[in-house]
Amino acid sequence: MRDFIAGLPKAELHLHIEGTLRPEAVVRLGQRNGVDLPFDSASGVVRALADRPAGLEGFLDHHYLVGDTICTGEDFFEVTHELLETCRLNNIVYVELFFDPQAHTSRGIPFDAVVDGIQRGLEQGRADFAVDANLIMCINRERTVESALEMLDQARPHRDRIIGLGMDSYEEGNPPRKFVDVFARARQEGYRLTAHCDVDQTKSVQHIWECIDLLGVDRIDHGVNCIEDPALVAELVRRDICLTPCPVWRSTDPGPQDIDRIRTMYDLGLRITLNSDDPGEFDSGYLTDLMTGVQDPSGYSKADMTRLAINAFEGSWLDRVAKDRHIAAVLEYATSHGVAPT
Ligand code: ADE
Ligand code: ZN
């Protein structure tokens, strides 16, 4: 099964560039850029990761601390190029990559330097590793609406290099409706739209409704709590909205997170994909390891794993021709391994 999953052509739709930093990279970049960190070795980063408080807030506090070691366009280039190399090793042939502009511009790094560095990394990575990618800029939802609008202004010269708008970060007290005007403007400007609805937030179900009814998103990131509301599930299926849950794990977890609920989403006919979110910060790592770790305890067959891979291409923002080309490659791979896709 592991070999089958490893060879499966894959797309990754929920991955944050800032979450790809491995502990060694945090220390290297931190020292190079003179960033004051509460740890000076990779093992110190690993310990801080293990000891962080459970839940989204504890994770994000650590995530932004280590993300602040990325300081220059050259850093963004390096980190992005390395990511695409890792995608190649995982047979991830297409990635839609999140980045958090406000987390960087608020530290004085120009928006242009961030986008130019990432784009150079993507171009070089495409040439070196034959991995294709598109960029999604995320609103940090705890920041102001004015700050999000300013981000859209800064993105304007890069319109053709950024495919979509997302929304991530601290969800409690920051409902999707806060950013209705920002999403409306982004839609007008031609961006595709997605938003995080993290797991077990106080108003997760309401937030998913707001995303589809008020923001008009094409996709929902995480969205696991939708199964609590049959009318919401029916609407997500009717509109064919793709959801991107992330069954990640840390070494201290009993297993991959939320796999029973994610399996229920799959069985309800929702278009779900499996995703790694922040692979440098979880022990689940990238898709080959993550999908292998999830498959057996979830009871997915090879045909199911094939379906999940197809969902990712279908739910992507590639054009129809590119989607069909990738899906044909998945089907050919499955057939050549004696798997009849469902
Ligand atoms: N930033 C990086 N990963 C995130 C997640 N899972 N939820 C919200 N913000 C994030
Ligand atoms: Zn995420």
Side-chain angles (χ1 to χ4, degrees):
M1 181 59 89
R2 186 184 166 87
D3 288 349
F4 177 77
I5 291 170
L8 198 55
K10 293 180 270 299
E12 167 67 90
L13 303 184
H14 185 162
L15 194 163
H16 302 259
I17 187 67
E18 298 88 352
T20 66
L21 292 186
R22 296 177 211 279
E24 297 74 22
V26 171
V27 173
R28 187 181 75 240
L29 288 172
Q31 283 172 354
R32 183 159 97 196
N33 293 315
V35 178
D36 200 15
L37 291 169
F39 21 73
D40 56 10
S41 65
S43 59
V45 182
V46 172
R47 214 170 313 117
L49 269 166
D51 292 347
R52 72 189 187 235
L56 182 61
E57 285 76 16
F59 167 73
L60 289 173
D61 290 348
H62 178 90
H63 174 77
Y64 289 120
L65 182 72
V66 298
D68 284 357
T69 60
I70 313 175
C71 294
T72 66
E74 193 55 30
D75 294 343
F76 279 102
F77 167 80
E78 247 180 61
V79 172
T80 306
H81 187 254
E82 194 179 321
L83 165 64
L84 263 53
E85 181 173 24
T86 310
C87 286
R88 173 76 277 151
L89 297 173
N90 281 260
N91 255 317
I92 297 167
V93 293
Y94 177 65
V95 53
E96 282 175 7
L97 181 61
F98 290 131
F99 73 118
D100 280 344
Q102 293 157 296
H104 310 303
T105 54
S106 62
R107 295 183 286 135
I109 307 172
F111 187 97
D112 297 352
V114 177
V115 175
D116 288 345
I118 296 176
Q119 278 295 347
R120 271 198 308 118
L122 294 181
E123 278 156 31
Q124 191 65 47
R126 188 175 291 132
D128 292 345
F129 311 119
V131 176
D132 206 0
N134 276 304
L135 263 186
I136 306 172
M137 61 181 161
C138 283
I139 299 170
N140 284 159
R141 64 201 303 162
E142 74 279 14
R143 298 180 194 265
T144 62
V145 171
E146 291 70 35
S147 170
L149 289 169
E150 188 189 355
M151 178 178 86
L152 278 188
D153 288 340
Q154 291 165 335
R156 211 168 237 151
H158 305 280
R159 176 62 199 86
D160 59 339
R161 306 203 294 170
I162 299 173
I163 197 170
L165 177 74
M167 176 168 69
D168 64 4
S169 211
Y170 299 89
E171 185 163 336
E172 296 289 354
N174 297 295
R177 64 180 177 280
K178 176 176 169 186
F179 293 100
V180 128
D181 294 342
V182 185
F183 274 76
R185 193 181 126 192
R187 186 179 323 105
Q188 255 176 13
E189 293 182 6
Y191 291 103
R192 305 302 300 266
L193 306 175
T194 186
H196 277 56
C197 290
D198 260 278
V199 185
D200 295 340
Q201 302 298 291
T202 307
K203 296 195 173 155
S204 285
V205 170
Q206 185 183 320
H207 287 184
I208 300 171
W209 275 114
E210 287 182 17
C211 281
I212 63 172
D213 281 346
L214 302 182
L215 304 188
V217 297
D218 309 296
R219 222 157 57 203
I220 300 273
D221 299 306
H222 299 289
V224 170
N225 295 87
C226 72
I227 62 172
E228 294 159 21
D229 182 346
L232 177 55
V233 170
E235 196 56 19
L236 292 165
V237 171
R238 192 182 72 75
R239 296 195 206 179
D240 195 16
I241 290 180
C242 178
L243 298 108
T244 66
C246 305
V248 299
W249 65 84
R250 316 189 218 172
S251 59
T252 46
D253 291 334
Q257 294 172 9
D258 307 317
I259 47 171
D260 293 343
R261 287 188 283 179
I262 293 170
R263 173 78 213 209
T264 300
M265 294 169 88
Y266 180 76
D267 290 336
L268 286 168
L270 290 159
R271 187 179 293 286
I272 65 157
T273 63
L274 299 178
N275 307 273
S276 64
D277 207 357
D278 298 285
E281 298 175 290
F282 289 101
D283 294 289
S284 32
Y286 289 82
L287 279 186
T288 294
D289 284 342
L290 182 139
M291 290 171 84
T292 303
V294 164
Q295 177 272 325
D296 183 49
S298 302
Y300 291 126
S301 65
K302 285 183 182 170
D304 293 325
M305 299 312 287
T306 303
R307 169 58 47 198
L308 288 162
I310 290 172
N311 279 353
F313 289 110
E314 196 60 64
S316 77
W317 293 334
L318 287 166
D319 63 31
R320 190 68 254 169
V321 172
K323 284 186 189 189
D324 287 346
R325 180 168 45 80
H326 285 297
I327 291 169
V330 174
L331 290 172
E332 192 184 319
Y333 176 83
T335 307
S336 72
H337 285 74
V339 176
T342 53

